[in-house]
Amino acid sequence: MDLSTNYLGLSLPHPLMPGASPLVDDMDMVKRLEDTGAAAIVMHSLFEEQISGERAHTLRQIEAHTDSFSEAPSFFPCCSALSVGPEPYLEQIRRIKAAVHVPVIGSLNGTTATGWLDYARMIQQAGADALELNFYVVATDPQEQGQAVEQRTLDIFRKVKAFVTIPVAVKLSPFFCSFAHVASQLDGLGADGLVLFNRFYQPDIDIETLEVVPRLQLSDSSELLLRLRWLAILSGHVRATLGVSGGVHTAVDAMKAVMAGAHAVQLVSALLQHGPDRLKTIREEMVRWMEEHEYHSLRQMQGSMNLMRCPDPAAFERANYVRVLHSWRSTSEP
Ligand SMILES: Cc1cc2nc3c(=O)[nH]c(=O)nc-3n(C[C@H](O)[C@H](O)[C@H](O)COP(=O)(O)O)c2cc1C
């Protein structure tokens, strides 16, 4: 079965790869990921807070005061990991590049168009074959208009693109007023890939200790549905290749994403839960299903369920919405 795909201009034997996560911290794990057939290795992010003087200073201040006043520090994430400088990150890229034969995708994560973006170039110099740019931003300023938030995203992308010659993917949040417009603007600026989506981790409140508790819950397949919708809407309308991140746990999930238009399928929670061999199992199950259903290649499947032929995607979404609500009524009636 020909599972080959093109993602970010990279020719890959199949679309399955680990998404950005600490899996790459351990070289044995990186080798196991390659052995199990990962099509590429996506690095965890180098965060703006690890680079930028101003933000690093804020983090150090928070750490210094952690024990001296009781409540405020709990509003901030524990930052000792983030106070590590960027050099070990670059060194890890070099190490991984020397150890594996598959493409290595670096990851930069931040929100301002300032000096830290120079690290895009350094990530390229360290040997990365491509770069994923992650905007994890919660727009908290009531004075900032939506358009300004979008503009910031575009400005950061434009700067990074000017710094490097390797392909650049943008990992986005779905929480834009007009996500399709943001995606199309990035596409117009030359994004090589769009990764749908970032997961937002919602901190919880411990009412006994009055602390804000950062809670990392792994995903399940239900999170894929939001990704499927947007892959299907964008597929065929943007030149950028599309990656899915979030909610892929099984071969069926992976094939749904490909049918909706994904060129690359990233997995993190599934690999953290079941180990790197999960990649191989999913690939084998995909091949079996595709043979049974007389597919010859992944490309035949790619985008087959996109909304390209739908004359009015917004009306289609409304129709589905009404159908879903009515389906509940009909199942609950005697
Ligand atoms: C422990 C952990 C660490 C992560 N670190 C990063 C990171 O450094 N950069 C990033 O862009 N995403 C990071 N992510 C998000 C994942 O890349 C991915 O987008 C998310 O987990 C959804 O995919 P999944 O449903 O397959 O887990 C991390 C996720 C987990 C669980």
Side-chain angles (χ1 to χ4, degrees), residues 19-22 44-45 47 107 109 134 171 197 199 201 216 218-219 245-247 266-269 272:
S21 78
H44 66 72
S45 298
F47 294 86
S107 168
N109 192 321
N134 182 333
K171 187 170 179 179
F197 285 118
R199 265 184 102 214
Y201 299 100
L216 201 162
L218 297 178
S219 72
S245 173
Q266 299 186 354
L267 299 92
V268 172
S269 294
L272 292 176

